[in-house]
Amino acid sequence: MQNWPAKITDLLSYETHFGRSDIKCFSDRPSDLNVMVKQSVARNRQGEALVCDEVRLTYGALDAQVDAVALGLMAHGVRTGSRVAILLGNCPEFLIVLLASLRLGAIAVPINVREQTPELTHILNDCGATVLVHDVDVADRLPPQPDLPQLEHRFCVGGPVGGSKDYDSLLTPSGELNAPTVSEEDTAVILYTSGTTGQPKGAMLTHLNIIHSAMHFEMCMELGQGGRSLLAVPASHVTGLVATLFTMLRTAGCSVIMRSFKADAFLDLAAREKVTQTLMVPAMYNLFLLRCAVEDYDLSSWRIGGYGGAPMAQSTIQELSEKLPGLLLVNAYGATELTSPATILPLGMGTKRSDSIGITVPCGEIRIVDPNGNDVETGEHGELWIKGPMVVPGYWNNPEKTKSEFQDGFWKSGDVGSRDAQGFISLHDRRKDMIIRGGYNIYSAEVENALTAHPSVIECAAIGRPDPVLGEKLHMFVHSTDATLDDAAVKAFVQAHLADYKTPDFVTLTDTPLPRNANGKIVKAILRNQL
């Protein structure tokens, strides 16, 4: 049986949190995220905390900017429990506003900049944000003020726009910051994840959740002070937020921020900044292998290549091991509800166990159950139920979903997998009807619900179409008798209502009904076979 070293497991104790008993926790941990950050500032004040383009901030400088923005937010009414929405791409201001919100005991709500107006309206109203900090590039997609009755203040990064104050007006260089007492079970971040009903739901990530996930990455990947992680995935996604930003803050390391991913620019930045660790989707590794001469870059500092969100092809693993022999490939499986990782592949097992997503993280517990909730035998398939201090307590303002997706302290993942005699877990199927396109989760029901609103669409079905680079692309089957409806119109309609990555890559139009079973349900297996 593969286990984590005793130096990790000896740090565990059983505790009760969120009404869930017998949760394994790290006994020696920061009491909250503000304490965790202050500890890193104290031990590495002159060390780099953040690099982005020409901006380079030491821990001391970052701490001062966080205080300044916290004072500015406080002057605009942000208090304990207030929600501060962050609609920013990868940039220094994202991390500064995030930490400033936490410093006031407020709740940060990072939002993907690719969301469209209807999704933004739902998220901002659902979380009840009173302050929004946004990129200038998204100003034209912001909902009008009458549609957001709880939103009191807007601040724009990148230049003034109508209806928003300039970000610099948040910077208050001096004043008394009354930092409140924070409980580790308090919500720190709300991350909205698409639901099968079509409406995003807000997972409540607590201080306890995030600290444990950061410590899991720290210990299982053997990270320490001086590490440099390249943020190439969105900071608003749980992977970028936790696996890079918070993990580097935990270890007093440096987050090297890339505003948008481009294969050659990624390798150039990784070499120039002597990056030591990454966590990305397999498509990103595929892209730089396909488009770049890896041997032209000095990547000798790059030690950990983490990946998740989709399986990595054996051919990709083989090529990476040949071209970057010093890079340890580490598969990590997680979800927003898990505050990132639930399993991590132990170091050195990247090529030996490329079939596996790893073993359960030190503080985690995973049951593999049959449809009746009974544990299956070793090697048999079942649904993964996951417990631990990294599992969120539930969904914001959504007790019904919380009740249906959590049971006896476990989150019911909907993912089907098995565990072998050595404790390695393999995934065999994903959450029902979910498509993973370049690491982004797309629930088919969400796209189907949006497109069904088109007056010419009778019915539709979204399925994943295998793609060698992105893992999957989105293929939409549409039943319509309108001869004027074409592919472009279908794509344009979806793009106007949902984030751009949810726009179909392929469209099949038919004037006949889609195949259904005896219960009237569309049979997607038949549609997949048609491809």
Side-chain angles (χ1 to χ4, degrees), residues 171-226:
L171 298 171
T172 305
S174 61
E176 185 176 355
L177 186 62
N178 299 316
T181 300
V182 176
S183 165
E184 65 179 355
E185 292 192 14
D186 289 345
T187 301
V189 173
I190 299 174
L191 286 182
Y192 278 81
T193 178
S194 295
T196 54
T197 61
Q199 286 282 27
K201 53 188 185 293
M204 299 183 292
L205 281 61
T206 68
H207 290 257
L208 180 80
N209 296 150
I210 295 171
I211 286 170
H212 274 86
S213 286
M215 293 180 72
H216 277 146
F217 281 122
E218 173 192 23
M219 296 184 181
C220 298
M221 291 186 173
E222 298 181 5
L223 307 176
Q225 186 170 319

Side-chain angles (χ1 to χ4, degrees), residues 45-74:
R45 179 169 290 274
Q46 301 305 317
E48 284 187 333
L50 180 152
V51 172
C52 182
D53 296 335
E54 303 305 316
V55 176
R56 309 186 84 90
L57 294 180
T58 65
Y59 269 90
L62 175 64
D63 189 50
Q65 289 207 26
V66 170
D67 271 349
V69 173
L71 286 166
L73 290 172
M74 189 171 67

Side-chain angles (χ1 to χ4, degrees), residues 39-222:
Q39 288 174 346
S40 291
V41 171
R43 73 178 191 264
N44 196 23
R45 179 169 290 274
Q46 301 305 317
E48 284 187 333
L50 180 152
V51 172
C52 182
D53 296 335
E54 303 305 316
V55 176
R56 309 186 84 90
L57 294 180
T58 65
Y59 269 90
L62 175 64
D63 189 50
Q65 289 207 26
V66 170
D67 271 349
V69 173
L71 286 166
L73 290 172
M74 189 171 67
H76 287 84
V78 174
R79 300 289 186 270
T80 300
S82 299
R83 273 78 70 199
V84 177
I86 307 173
L87 185 60
L88 298 172
N90 291 4
C91 62
E93 292 83 1
F94 180 99
L95 182 58
I96 293 166
V97 175
L98 171 76
L99 296 180
S101 303
L102 300 184
R103 199 158 285 188
L104 295 174
I107 299 171
V109 188
I111 305 172
N112 194 315
V113 293
R114 298 169 74 172
E115 302 288 8
Q116 299 298 315
T117 305
E119 296 165 302
L120 293 174
T121 303
H122 167 73
I123 291 171
L124 291 169
N125 281 327
D126 186 68
C127 73
T130 57
V131 172
L132 168 66
V133 183
H134 66 88
D135 272 331
V136 66
D137 294 342
V138 304
D140 61 340
R141 282 187 272 126
L142 295 180
Q145 186 59 45
D147 292 350
L148 302 172
Q150 299 172 86
L151 189 66
E152 299 173 1
H153 304 284
R154 304 184 189 204
F155 298 91
C156 182
V157 174
V161 297
S164 298
K165 302 173 187 176
D166 191 77
Y167 170 78
D168 288 345
S169 66
L170 268 181
L171 298 171
T172 305
S174 61
E176 185 176 355
L177 186 62
N178 299 316
T181 300
V182 176
S183 165
E184 65 179 355
E185 292 192 14
D186 289 345
T187 301
V189 173
I190 299 174
L191 286 182
Y192 278 81
T193 178
S194 295
T196 54
T197 61
Q199 286 282 27
K201 53 188 185 293
M204 299 183 292
L205 281 61
T206 68
H207 290 257
L208 180 80
N209 296 150
I210 295 171
I211 286 170
H212 274 86
S213 286
M215 293 180 72
H216 277 146
F217 281 122
E218 173 192 23
M219 296 184 181
C220 298
M221 291 186 173
E222 298 181 5

Side-chain angles (χ1 to χ4, degrees), residues 205-280:
L205 281 61
T206 68
H207 290 257
L208 180 80
N209 296 150
I210 295 171
I211 286 170
H212 274 86
S213 286
M215 293 180 72
H216 277 146
F217 281 122
E218 173 192 23
M219 296 184 181
C220 298
M221 291 186 173
E222 298 181 5
L223 307 176
Q225 186 170 319
R228 301 173 73 82
S229 183
L230 204 165
L231 178 66
V233 298
S236 57
H237 187 275
V238 69
T239 300
L241 184 73
V242 176
T244 296
L245 295 178
F246 276 119
T247 297
M248 288 298 100
L249 290 169
R250 162 63 187 173
T251 59
C254 178
S255 294
V256 179
I257 295 177
M258 191 175 196
R259 293 184 185 270
S260 60
F261 177 82
K262 293 182 180 178
D264 54 351
F266 169 85
L267 292 178
D268 182 66
L269 186 59
R272 189 170 69 251
E273 292 295 335
K274 300 187 183 304
V275 165
T276 61
Q277 183 252 13
T278 55
L279 209 155
M280 308 186 293

Side-chain angles (χ1 to χ4, degrees), residues 1-2 4 307 311 331-334 338 341-346 349 352-362 364-369 376-387 390 410 413 415-429:
M1 175 70 73
Q2 179 76 38
W4 297 107
Y307 65 94
N331 197 351
Y333 161 78
L338 303 172
T343 69
I344 296 178
L345 196 62
M349 306 295 287
K352 299 175 185 175
R353 291 306 309 259
S354 59
D355 61 315
S356 170
I357 57 173
I359 63 175
T360 308
V361 292
E365 179 183 348
I366 296 181
R367 294 179 60 203
I368 301 180
V369 304
V376 302
E377 297 293 328
T378 298
E380 293 187 4
H381 295 188
E383 182 185 3
L384 274 61
W385 286 15
I386 303 162
K387 180 179 178 180
M390 69 288 179
F410 288 82
S413 74
D415 292 329
V416 177
S418 62
R419 179 165 36 210
D420 65 19
Q422 287 72 47
F424 288 90
I425 295 175
S426 297
L427 285 185
H428 307 294
D429 200 358

Side-chain angles (χ1 to χ4, degrees), residues 308-471:
M312 183 178 281
Q314 185 60 44
S315 58
T316 303
I317 293 173
Q318 183 62 35
E319 188 173 357
L320 282 169
S321 64
E322 292 172 357
K323 293 185 175 180
L324 296 170
L327 183 66
L328 296 173
L329 293 174
V330 181
N331 197 351
Y333 161 78
T336 304
E337 289 87 349
L338 303 172
T339 322
S340 205
T343 69
I344 296 178
L345 196 62
L347 295 183
M349 306 295 287
T351 56
K352 299 175 185 175
R353 291 306 309 259
S354 59
D355 61 315
S356 170
I357 57 173
I359 63 175
T360 308
V361 292
C363 294
E365 179 183 348
I366 296 181
R367 294 179 60 203
I368 301 180
V369 304
D370 63 21
N372 296 318
N374 301 313
D375 293 319
V376 302
E377 297 293 328
T378 298
E380 293 187 4
H381 295 188
E383 182 185 3
L384 274 61
W385 286 15
I386 303 162
K387 180 179 178 180
M390 69 288 179
V391 178
V392 303
Y395 300 109
W396 179 266
N397 198 30
N398 199 335
E400 296 82 9
K401 277 293 180 184
T402 298
K403 183 177 180 179
S404 66
E405 295 200 20
F406 296 83
Q407 182 172 326
D408 301 328
F410 288 82
W411 177 60
K412 299 184 287 187
S413 74
D415 292 329
V416 177
S418 62
R419 179 165 36 210
D420 65 19
Q422 287 72 47
F424 288 90
I425 295 175
S426 297
L427 285 185
H428 307 294
D429 200 358
R430 291 193 299 269
R431 182 184 293 249
K432 187 177 182 180
D433 290 343
M434 187 173 73
I435 299 153
I436 300 181
R437 186 187 188 278
Y440 283 96
N441 294 348
I442 304 172
Y443 285 88
S444 60
E446 183 181 19
V447 187
E448 291 160 359
N449 289 346
L451 184 56
T452 302
H454 192 291
S456 297
V457 173
I458 299 172
E459 61 183 353
C460 60
I463 66 170
R465 176 170 174 164
D467 181 81
V469 174
L470 296 177

Side-chain angles (χ1 to χ4, degrees), residues 276-296:
T276 61
Q277 183 252 13
T278 55
L279 209 155
M280 308 186 293
V281 296
M284 292 176 168
Y285 292 94
N286 287 336
L287 283 170
F288 74 66
L289 287 175
L290 287 169
R291 298 179 179 176
C292 306
V294 177
E295 59 274 11
D296 290 346

